[in-house]
Amino acid sequence: MLNTYAYPEFEYIQCDEQKHNTVKRHKAVIIGAGPVGLTTALDFAKQGIPVVVLDDNNTVSIGSRAVCYAKRPLEVWDRLGVGERMIEKSVEWKVGKVFRDEELVYQFDLLPEDDHKIPAFINLQQYYLEEYMIDECKKQYGDLIDFRWKSKIISLKNNDDHVKMQVETPDGVYGLESDYVVACDGANSDTRKMLGLEFDGHFFQDRFLIADVVMKADFPAERWFWFNPPFHRNQSVLLHMQSDDVWRIDFQLGWDCDPEEEKKPEKVIPRLKAMLGDDVDFELEWVSVYQFACRQLKDFKCGRVFIAGDAAHQVSPFGARGANTGVQDIDNLTWKLKLVMDGKVPESLLDSYSEERVFAAADNLLNSTRSTDFITPKSPISKAFRDAVLDLASEYEFARPLVNSGRLSMPTPYLNSSLNTPDEDTFSGKMRPGTNCADAPITVDGQDTWFLNKIANSKFVVLTFDTSITDKTVNINGIDCDILVVGKDIMDSKGCLQERYDGTGETTYLIRPDQHVAARWRTFDQDKIKKAVLTATAQ
Amino acid sequence: MSLNTKPNIASPDDFYQDLIDLHRDLSDEESRDLNARLILLLANHIGDMDILKAAMSAARKDT
């Protein structure tokens, strides 16, 4: 195998607690330093919460696992200061093509709306993503983030006011305590097993060969998906471009294959040659075979432990919903935990993490299961309908939207959340309570910037189009909210804010620290804002 | 609008014969695939989800 990437090795250092045989109570412990755990570390540290990060390894993810990152998680990473570096290194794409045999049956263009800072989708190897986040952790928050490599959690117990854990390191086992724990330890989460939590859902009776291939190829930066191609009969194949001339190719293998056998280069290379032709030089960077599941926990909070990312929910890879959803879990959790830690709101606010993210995971799971049913039909009649759709799609436009090779990850609005204040006025546009805020180009003090960058300091924001408002902040029961007046504090340089937020007259929005709409009105009314802040914080 | 279950085809015998003729000389598998394409074409023409669901339910003999 060829490596285009040099894996960093992080130094294991015995922690003081283990060295001196003392038990220390921490504010927050994060289990797992993957994309979700590292996002948690950055977000907590940004809000001033010191964290311990435990990881049983001492490098970034081996092999490229997650590849596609969607707009919303990139906006979260941009809020955390790492988004731009990821985008710069990545491959941006927006066109997807679906082939059957050799014929193009359907093509979609994500057609991203203009005037957003963040692109619709990027492709980037997971190891870069992790490396950039670890760099940022060390650069910005060296004193707040305590990385403990080669530290494996071996027991965990919820108590009334803390969580007790035992951790195994090269120096043996030590104990530590924490007010709260965030379990980001992936699909095979040990933490989940220690808590005795069971999944709802199932594995699919199918396997996929995932190959990362290094080659100079003429394929464009598009997502190509084949049903039943001549080079891989009766199965599907997916091709994606990554950085550094690395390409991700997924071969559907069916249920009867031998996964160990399929991983061997002598099996993989002929498959790739059949696809790419004999005259393309390529090298394998990474090969794995996996079976995927669509399943989730009923509750993402168990006592003082929050379960996030793949540890809490798993979906098929068609649609880029894994890491993307996990990052949004953390976006949802951090501000709530910060307010609770600061004693400003009741602990019951933390229950809304589970409420909102279980809802989002269920929506994701539904989308993912539907794609899987199309790609891997479970019965002969299901396959007949799938093939009928593909038959009709090349000739008849109506069948094209039925082709489902993965619906790409979009954030799930928390439309029924208990934290929302229902609309009492009529609005047009998408910014309903519970929805993540749309970006817009703005100017502040004559400088061009972006709306989401302006509301990135993890505080409640009152956004108002009422230019008679002169207050800069409002304090509601100890919760500081920034007031942003469109036309004074921020200039709506291209009119996008007005359009996207239906910002006529004195329209006013209450925006949560995670950049989601909590409430909106046609007037600026202090009493209503106060009530909505209390509702949005479970008071 | 609800699912029309009253007679709506002007020449029922002609329609029925066309439907049967459509499948002439096809294997069971080919017939199944043709039916699938036919259902998709008709369903798109109808478009209305309530009517489609009512038809699905009626076809499955759910009461």
Side-chain angles (χ1 to χ4, degrees):
Chain A
M1 304 258 171
L2 181 80
N3 272 331
T4 56
Y5 179 79
Y7 288 91
E9 198 168 296
F10 307 117
E11 190 188 0
Y12 162 74
I13 300 168
Q14 187 180 24
C15 65
D16 285 347
E17 292 145 83
Q18 187 170 30
K19 214 180 280 170
H20 303 126
N21 199 22
T22 52
V23 175
K24 199 175 157 196
R25 175 78 60 89
H26 299 275
K27 279 181 96 72
V29 166
I30 298 163
I31 303 170
V36 179
L38 292 169
T39 304
T40 318
L42 273 177
D43 207 1
F44 279 22
K46 184 167 187 257
Q47 306 210 26
I49 305 170
V51 291
V52 172
V53 183
L54 303 173
D55 195 274
D56 56 4
N57 208 329
N58 70 331
T59 184
V60 294
S61 110
I62 302 285
S64 182
R65 295 191 291 189
V67 166
C68 300
Y69 302 98
K71 182 165 182 287
R72 181 57 199 160
L74 286 166
E75 287 172 349
V76 174
W77 285 321
D78 193 42
R79 177 169 67 72
L80 298 175
V82 288
E84 289 179 10
R85 191 172 172 200
M86 293 171 181
I87 293 166
E88 198 172 305
K89 178 71 188 171
S90 73
V91 175
E92 280 180 39
W93 64 277
K94 52 188 182 177
V95 171
K97 287 180 178 161
V98 179
F99 300 88
R100 187 196 197 192
D101 255 306
E102 285 171 279
E103 185 194 4
L104 178 69
V105 289
Y106 174 57
Q107 173 170 344
F108 61 85
D109 188 332
L110 296 171
L111 275 181
E113 197 179 41
D114 282 342
D115 296 320
H116 288 255
K117 177 178 178 184
I118 303 294
F121 264 97
I122 64 163
N123 288 357
L124 182 67
Q125 291 92 315
Q126 183 172 329
Y127 39 69
Y128 281 120
L129 193 95
E130 293 183 10
E131 182 193 325
Y132 296 170
M133 282 198 274
I134 291 169
D135 281 354
E136 185 73 6
C137 285
K138 290 180 171 169
K139 199 171 89 194
Q140 301 288 347
Y141 308 108
D143 50 337
L144 282 173
I145 303 176
D146 178 357
F147 280 110
R148 298 188 184 177
W149 305 103
K150 289 186 177 282
S151 297
K152 184 179 167 60
I153 183 107
I154 56 168
S155 80
L156 174 142
K157 189 174 172 294
N158 257 310
N159 292 303
D160 280 348
D161 63 344
H162 71 282
V163 182
K164 215 180 262 307
M165 287 158 280
Q166 284 189 301
V167 175
E168 188 177 57
T169 73
D171 291 305
V173 174
Y174 73 99
L176 81 166
E177 296 177 354
S178 184
D179 292 347
Y180 295 97
V181 169
V182 189
C184 311
D185 46 350
N188 297 314
S189 169
D190 288 329
T191 316
R192 187 184 65 231
K193 290 167 199 156
M194 289 167 198
L195 292 167
L197 303 176
E198 300 283 339
F199 277 124
D200 277 345
H202 58 278
F203 273 97
F204 282 88
Q205 305 271 297
D206 202 349
R207 288 197 178 88
F208 290 80
L209 171 72
I210 309 301
D212 282 333
V213 174
V214 188
M215 62 177 175
K216 298 270 185 209
D218 300 330
F219 297 107
E222 297 173 347
R223 177 189 193 266
W224 284 18
F225 192 101
W226 288 265
F227 290 99
N228 190 24
F231 53 84
H232 192 54
R233 278 296 174 206
N234 300 314
Q235 303 288 5
S236 64
V237 176
L238 174 66
L239 173 75
H240 256 304
M241 186 199 265
Q242 307 177 63
S243 300
D244 307 334
D245 294 317
V246 178
W247 298 76
R248 162 64 57 86
I249 305 174
D250 290 13
F251 291 95
Q252 185 182 26
L253 296 174
W255 186 232
D256 298 328
C257 72
D258 175 347
E260 286 311 310
E261 200 57 30
E262 293 294 342
K263 260 192 286 205
K264 294 181 178 164
E266 59 264 36
K267 284 285 279 190
V268 178
I269 287 167
R271 287 198 191 285
L272 288 164
K273 278 196 183 299
M275 174 179 181
L276 302 167
D278 280 331
D279 47 349
V280 174
D281 281 331
F282 64 87
E283 297 238 30
L284 291 176
E285 181 173 79
W286 177 256
V287 175
S288 60
V289 171
Y290 73 98
Q291 179 192 7
F292 56 72
C294 285
R295 50 187 194 168
Q296 70 177 101
L297 298 175
K298 280 191 197 69
D299 202 333
F300 295 173
K301 177 175 176 289
C302 178
R304 304 178 80 82
V305 181
F306 303 93
I307 305 107
D310 279 4
H313 45 73
Q314 290 150 36
V315 293
S316 77
F318 302 103
R321 292 164 184 279
N324 283 314
T325 326
V327 170
Q328 294 169 76
D329 291 343
I330 300 310
D331 190 33
N332 188 284
L333 173 65
T334 312
W335 67 274
K336 296 174 180 174
L337 197 55
K338 171 69 175 161
L339 285 173
V340 170
M341 283 178 166
D342 289 350
K344 291 183 176 169
V345 302
E347 282 210 333
S348 59
L349 176 61
L350 300 174
D351 296 335
S352 70
Y353 163 68
S354 196
E355 177 200 328
E356 294 184 331
R357 295 311 299 167
V358 165
F359 176 75
D363 179 47
N364 244 330
L365 208 83
L366 175 71
N367 275 292
S368 178
T369 303
R370 286 173 170 178
S371 301
T372 308
D373 282 341
F374 198 87
I375 294 162
T376 306
K378 285 201 211 59
S379 64
I381 191 67
S382 176
K383 185 170 185 302
F385 276 114
R386 194 278 303 272
D387 289 342
V389 167
L390 293 173
D391 269 344
L392 295 167
S394 46
E395 191 170 352
Y396 301 107
E397 204 182 320
F398 88 88
R400 289 167 205 161
L402 296 172
V403 175
N404 189 344
S405 69
R407 303 281 183 225
L408 300 169
S409 176
M410 303 283 279
T412 303
Y414 313 132
L415 293 180
N416 304 312
S417 170
S418 61
L419 306 187
N420 295 346
T421 298
D423 280 340
E424 53 190 48
D425 302 312
T426 312
F427 289 86
S428 64
K430 293 178 187 160
M431 291 297 112
R432 290 192 286 170
T435 307
N436 64 301
C437 287
D439 204 0
I442 56 169
T443 56
V444 178
D445 301 330
Q447 299 291 313
D448 287 338
T449 182
W450 295 93
F451 178 57
L452 291 185
N453 286 150
K454 184 68 189 165
I455 59 165
N457 62 354
S458 305
K459 283 162 83 176
F460 275 95
V461 172
V462 178
L463 174 77
T464 185
F465 293 81
D466 180 352
T467 47
S468 73
I469 303 299
T470 52
D471 290 343
K472 296 291 176 213
T473 59
V474 55
N475 186 292
I476 292 154
N477 292 13
I479 301 170
D480 267 327
C481 311
D482 288 339
I483 297 175
L484 281 183
V485 182
V486 181
K488 281 169 75 179
D489 303 316
I490 59 177
M491 305 309 284
D492 188 12
S493 43
K494 289 190 165 178
C496 294
L497 273 178
Q498 170 139 29
E499 184 199 324
R500 289 172 190 167
Y501 290 77
D502 188 14
T504 52
E506 297 157 20
T507 294
T508 300
Y509 280 75
L510 176 68
I511 298 170
R512 307 184 344 182
D514 59 357
Q515 305 179 329
H516 282 63
V517 174
R520 55 183 180 171
W521 308 272
R522 286 302 186 190
T523 55
F524 184 97
D525 182 325
Q526 288 259 16
D527 289 337
K528 286 181 177 172
I529 292 169
K530 179 177 176 185
K531 232 176 128 211
V533 169
L534 296 178
T535 301
T537 50
Q539 303 186 73
Chain B
M1 211 167 64
S2 59
L3 180 68
N4 184 358
T5 54
K6 297 277 184 286
N8 193 35
I9 294 171
S11 316
D13 291 345
D14 289 341
F15 160 71
Y16 194 81
Q17 188 189 340
D18 286 348
L19 185 64
I20 301 307
D21 286 350
L22 186 65
H23 288 269
R24 198 188 316 130
D25 304 329
L26 297 185
S27 68
D28 285 353
E29 202 175 299
E30 287 166 332
S31 274
R32 181 196 63 194
D33 293 349
L34 183 153
N35 277 339
R37 292 192 292 274
L38 186 61
I39 289 168
L40 291 171
L41 284 158
L42 295 174
N44 181 65
H45 182 85
I46 293 163
D48 184 323
M49 209 43 205
D50 290 338
I51 292 182
L52 292 171
K53 281 187 158 183
M56 287 183 200
S57 171
R60 205 182 154 104
K61 301 188 177 176
D62 293 343
T63 45

